[in-house]
Amino acid sequence: MLAQRLGLSINSTRPLGAWSPDDETSLEAWYQNRVGITLNGSDVSQWSDSSVNGIDMVQATATKQPAYSEGILSFVSADSNNLQTPEQIELSGNFTIGVIFKPSISAPGTLLGDNEGGSAGHEFIKYTSTTNLRLKIDNTAANIPLDSGTFGDDYIVITRVSNVLTLWKNGVAQSTTPTLSGTADIDAIGVRESDQDYLDGAIQEIQIYSSSSSDLTANVNDRLASI
């Protein structure tokens, strides 16, 4: 069967002058909603990077490919669903990461991770419960609990400025702001090293930047809210 690539859609076009992630020179990778999807039947074998860097996320093993429907990639931990790249996104300084996701909270689940093999750091961004997000960088972990409510059908933005982490949930900054230094390595969606904490849930878009500012945070939140 020929693979089906989904090209430009209504969501990938923009009014003249409107902001887009690829306006930012610090954009490291952009897994865009409804764009760059290669299908194997109804499952995703590749999610192409919409940035100029071409860090495509792929899964050659059919049984490990997440399902796809109307812009939503669905991951099942029991099936080891994940996407990975042989390249490495390295965030050594400030960063901004935006994700639209809907977890099925039955166990800790990884949104983004380092699964290259042999890493002592086991780096990841994952939820550990209905109310807590955990980041691990250079073998040191930090928790960001929600001020109220639980993770559901949400968009989140995580920023690091001078090693201080801030989590925005649906556009609202959470009060816990831990400090976490080091280089964050990302080469996988839905899993972290070594093949652990597979995601149960859905992802619609991921944006990764090697910078952070109030304007960028606002723009990322606004775009994710519009999807």
Side-chain angles (χ1 to χ4, degrees), residues 36-92:
I37 300 292
T38 301
L39 291 178
N40 173 26
S42 60
D43 297 332
V44 178
S45 61
Q46 179 167 313
W47 198 358
S48 295
D49 178 11
S50 287
S51 83
V52 298
N53 297 318
I55 305 175
D56 302 334
M57 292 285 182
V58 302
Q59 181 51 259
T61 303
T63 57
K64 295 184 178 182
Q65 294 169 354
Y68 182 83
S69 177
E70 298 183 350
I72 298 172
L73 285 74
S74 298
F75 296 76
V76 177
S77 62
D79 295 334
S80 303
N81 292 159
N82 70 92
L83 298 168
Q84 300 189 47
T85 175
E87 303 182 56
Q88 190 76 263
I89 300 169
E90 298 180 346
L91 305 173
S92 59

Side-chain angles (χ1 to χ4, degrees), residues 41-203:
S42 60
D43 297 332
V44 178
S45 61
Q46 179 167 313
W47 198 358
S48 295
D49 178 11
S50 287
S51 83
V52 298
N53 297 318
I55 305 175
D56 302 334
M57 292 285 182
V58 302
Q59 181 51 259
T61 303
T63 57
K64 295 184 178 182
Q65 294 169 354
Y68 182 83
S69 177
E70 298 183 350
I72 298 172
L73 285 74
S74 298
F75 296 76
V76 177
S77 62
D79 295 334
S80 303
N81 292 159
N82 70 92
L83 298 168
Q84 300 189 47
T85 175
E87 303 182 56
Q88 190 76 263
I89 300 169
E90 298 180 346
L91 305 173
S92 59
N94 293 352
F95 63 68
T96 302
I97 298 173
V99 184
I100 302 176
F101 79 109
K102 183 178 182 179
S104 302
I105 309 266
S106 57
T110 303
L111 300 177
L112 295 167
D114 175 17
N115 196 41
E116 66 178 357
S119 170
H122 303 288
E123 301 191 356
F124 54 72
I125 299 172
K126 71 178 185 180
Y127 61 82
T128 60
S129 72
T130 59
T131 60
N132 187 70
L133 193 74
R134 180 175 297 167
L135 286 79
K136 194 173 187 182
I137 300 173
D138 289 352
N139 213 25
T140 301
N143 291 310
I144 309 179
L146 297 179
D147 290 345
S148 62
T150 60
F151 289 117
D153 194 358
D154 302 311
Y155 61 93
I156 63 169
V157 176
I158 306 160
T159 64
R160 181 170 72 175
V161 179
S162 299
N163 295 328
V164 177
L165 298 172
T166 302
L167 169 66
W168 277 260
K169 176 178 177 281
N170 297 336
V172 178
Q174 305 301 292
S175 61
T176 300
T177 54
T179 298
L180 195 58
S181 61
T183 299
D185 297 317
I186 297 170
D187 62 20
I189 299 172
V191 66
R192 58 98 162 182
E193 211 260 333
S194 298
D195 296 329
Q196 296 182 60
D197 294 340
Y198 287 100
L199 176 64
D200 267 305
I203 293 179

